[in-house]
Amino acid sequence: MVQRMLMTMVTHITHSRSARACLLLATVASALKPTYPRRAFLGTSAVTAATIAQTSNAASKTGLLNIDGVEGNPLLTVEINKRPPIPKFVRAELQQDFAVCLMRNSYNVVDGLDFVAMDAFQKRFFLARQDEWEPYYSKARQQLGRPPNQGELTDPLYFDFISFAQYKVINEFLRAPKQAFEELVTAEGDTTVVIRNATSVENAKLADEHSKRVGDAALDFVLSKFSNLPPTTGVLAPQPMSPAELAANVNKLCVLIAVLGFSVDASATLVGSALRCEFVAPANYWGLKVLAGSPLSRQPLLNDFGAKIVGAYLARCGFFAARSLEFTPVAYAHVFKLKV
């Protein structure tokens, strides 16, 4: 119950540059994951948060942040200006508990994989949000006539932004994963040393393992949420089945994901040996498109939550599938090449 209350507080924190907002963010950040003894105090460093707040306040007062990019960071400004426009199509409102599930588990899995100190991750996530927020806010007002509802994960315009920012930062640390590091554990500045060993996930497999664990957690959430549905609309528990039966159940799974507000509509169809899962007007359309980029610029880890959930279901049914991503003006499709 306490973690649920704290998570609600986190989703209502705005992108204010006040020291109070920064301190609140740092204090409740650790509620996004289970508490481990060596990380009981993780994320509550007032010094770090206050320093960030002072820097951000100074930038705000002197006009160092502009509406088209980030002054003093020309590479980021160029990157921002090359991004696709924010979609204008109408999107559904996400269910709060589902949106929290996706964001929280994406954070928890980073923690569990031990490739970055989580106090360093939280600091970088905060700074990235500050850098990205002003341009996104401005473009939303210009292109859509309204800004994102700050801190509200149920608002797809905000969820699109914050899930993108989270995965952008995860990818930054995935490019240079740590084998050993110090992590802050107390208010007095005490640290502990974390060392990955032979039982840890290999660097080259970190992105895939992150995607798998988030997909498993999100699939469990969806199946539990709709466990009392009749067989005509409910999803069969993962089990061996024919490709046709698999497609029928994945179609129902996609519909349930849409019911949770992730998209306006969703479907799955079997085309030869490929399973095509389409999400219409999804909550993460813009962020996923930015992260996916071109084949040469695609990030190793995407916020493709629908694909993660479907992929987890396929694996539990004994199917292994490489997947590709296709965009249309109002939707995207994950295409799974099925292999038993």
Side-chain angles (χ1 to χ4, degrees), residues 3 5-11 13 21-35 39-45 49 103-105 107-108 111 118-123 125-126 129 166:
Q3 285 192 340
M5 292 172 63
L6 289 172
M7 187 61 221
T8 301
M9 292 170 62
V10 170
T11 61
I13 294 175
C22 298
L23 291 172
L24 181 58
L25 175 65
T27 302
V28 303
S30 59
L32 295 175
K33 61 180 184 64
T35 300
R39 294 171 179 169
F41 183 72
L42 190 59
T44 61
S45 171
M103 292 292 296
R104 180 179 60 205
N105 282 294
Y107 177 95
N108 287 350
D111 189 358
M118 294 310 290
D119 53 308
F121 178 87
Q122 291 164 16
K123 177 182 178 181
F125 184 30
F126 181 87
R129 288 169 63 176
Q166 183 185 49

Side-chain angles (χ1 to χ4, degrees), residues 102-246:
L102 299 178
M103 292 292 296
R104 180 179 60 205
N105 282 294
S106 295
Y107 177 95
N108 287 350
V109 174
V110 172
D111 189 358
L113 289 173
D114 282 337
F115 61 90
V116 58
M118 294 310 290
D119 53 308
F121 178 87
Q122 291 164 16
K123 177 182 178 181
R124 176 65 192 126
F125 184 30
F126 181 87
L127 291 173
R129 288 169 63 176
Q130 297 305 304
D131 285 344
E132 295 280 355
W133 177 249
E134 292 291 341
Y136 186 82
Y137 180 93
S138 175
K139 288 183 178 181
R141 290 182 63 92
Q142 293 170 1
Q143 298 171 11
L144 308 182
R146 80 165 181 92
N149 194 354
Q150 295 180 339
E152 291 291 343
L153 290 179
T154 57
D155 177 14
L157 187 56
Y158 179 77
F159 180 85
D160 210 351
F161 166 78
I162 199 64
S163 65
F164 156 75
Q166 183 185 49
Y167 273 74
K168 177 185 176 181
V169 173
I170 295 173
N171 277 292
E172 289 179 7
F173 287 106
L174 279 175
R175 284 192 285 271
K178 301 287 188 181
Q179 292 296 127
F181 52 85
E182 284 189 310
E183 192 168 68
L184 186 69
V185 293
T186 71
E188 291 72 32
D190 295 329
T191 61
T192 188
V193 175
V194 179
I195 301 176
R196 292 164 61 201
N197 53 40
T199 64
S200 302
V201 177
E202 298 174 15
N203 288 348
K205 297 179 179 179
L206 284 171
D208 287 343
E209 184 64 22
H210 184 282
S211 189
K212 177 184 180 300
R213 293 188 189 184
V214 172
D216 280 331
L219 175 62
D220 288 340
F221 177 94
V222 176
L223 294 180
S224 175
K225 186 86 170 178
F226 297 103
S227 60
N228 295 323
L229 289 178
T232 53
T233 54
V235 179
L236 283 178
Q239 57 189 278
M241 58 182 77
S242 69
E245 292 173 320
L246 181 74

